[in-house]
Amino acid sequence: MSADPLLLAQMPSIIIINKSPSAVSAFVSKYSNSNGDDSWFNLAQGARDSWNRAGWELVAFKNANDTKRAGVYVPSNAVVTFNGFDNITVESLNVHSSRKYPEKRYRIAMSSIIVINKSSSAVSVFVSKYSNSSGDDSWFTVAAGGRDSWGRKGWELVAFKNASDTDRAGVYVPANSVVTFNDLAHISVL
């Protein structure tokens, strides 16, 4: 897919296109726009919508029964195409990636998200606080070889950034996940 110049002219925003065979619910976090709405919105098959955002945000999807979820961490100026829970593409002026996300069914049972840093240097990490409003979603440093945990009850964004904040990556995970960071291109979730 090549980003439509008419879509990119709407920037700074994040645009979502639903190319899956059915409707899906989507939301975009509001870290870069505190006046934005991060409610779930229904996107019909073939629909597109945009969110006014000027920075890095979580774009999350769930099915009608909330038995499947997936998400991506993207900068502003992104066009996110939802083809299915295992096929989400991101295109923007800054980023082009096509990642496959394994389809998983989760049962939320535990109350924390663990981050393990397997890289050779410290990394900055934050965990959103959608399921724990008293939690802290500031950036924290996890030392090389270190680990930390965040008390969360539901689905959250776990984001990483390099030391100069010129590149970021993130995963959307349920509570009771262990997120292992090797580098910005290699993040695994158990």
Side-chain angles (χ1 to χ4, degrees):
M1 169 186 138
S2 185
D4 182 335
L6 293 175
L7 293 176
L8 293 176
Q10 299 175 18
M11 305 302 179
S13 64
I14 295 173
I15 297 164
I16 301 175
I17 302 169
N18 180 8
K19 287 192 175 179
S20 73
S22 60
V24 67
S25 292
F27 89 85
V28 178
S29 61
K30 59 181 186 175
Y31 287 101
S32 66
N33 180 355
S34 61
N35 294 321
D37 190 347
D38 60 359
S39 302
W40 288 99
F41 289 91
N42 189 48
L43 284 176
Q45 178 186 12
R48 67 177 65 192
D49 207 343
S50 65
W51 283 255
N52 182 16
R53 302 293 191 269
W56 285 83
E57 300 290 350
L58 165 65
V59 176
F61 301 94
K62 69 178 180 177
N63 65 356
N65 299 331
D66 198 11
T67 57
K68 293 182 186 179
R69 287 195 185 196
V72 291
Y73 187 49
V74 300
S76 63
N77 304 333
V79 177
V80 179
T81 303
F82 180 81
N83 299 295
F85 288 95
D86 61 347
N87 187 358
I88 301 168
T89 58
V90 176
E91 189 172 1
S92 77
L93 299 175
N94 307 320
V95 174
H96 179 77
S97 77
S98 182
R99 297 181 180 165
K100 297 284 186 176
Y101 295 88
E103 182 179 316
K104 295 182 180 177
R105 295 176 192 262
Y106 295 102
R107 182 175 59 91
I108 299 170
M110 302 300 274
S111 59
S112 69
I113 294 173
I114 298 170
V115 174
I116 300 171
N117 180 4
K118 286 196 173 181
S119 74
S120 59
S121 59
V123 65
S124 294
V125 60
F126 89 85
V127 177
S128 61
K129 58 181 188 175
Y130 288 102
S131 67
N132 181 359
S133 61
S134 64
D136 191 343
D137 61 359
S138 302
W139 288 97
F140 290 90
T141 300
V142 178
R147 64 187 294 149
D148 206 343
S149 65
W150 283 257
R152 301 294 191 265
K153 301 175 205 168
W155 285 83
E156 301 290 350
L157 166 66
V158 179
F160 302 90
K161 67 180 180 178
N162 64 5
S164 58
D165 196 12
T166 57
D167 200 9
R168 295 184 183 192
V171 292
Y172 185 53
V173 300
N176 197 29
S177 292
V178 176
V179 179
T180 303
F181 175 86
N182 292 294
D183 60 46
L184 290 173
H186 298 96
I187 300 167
S188 60
V189 179
L190 293 177

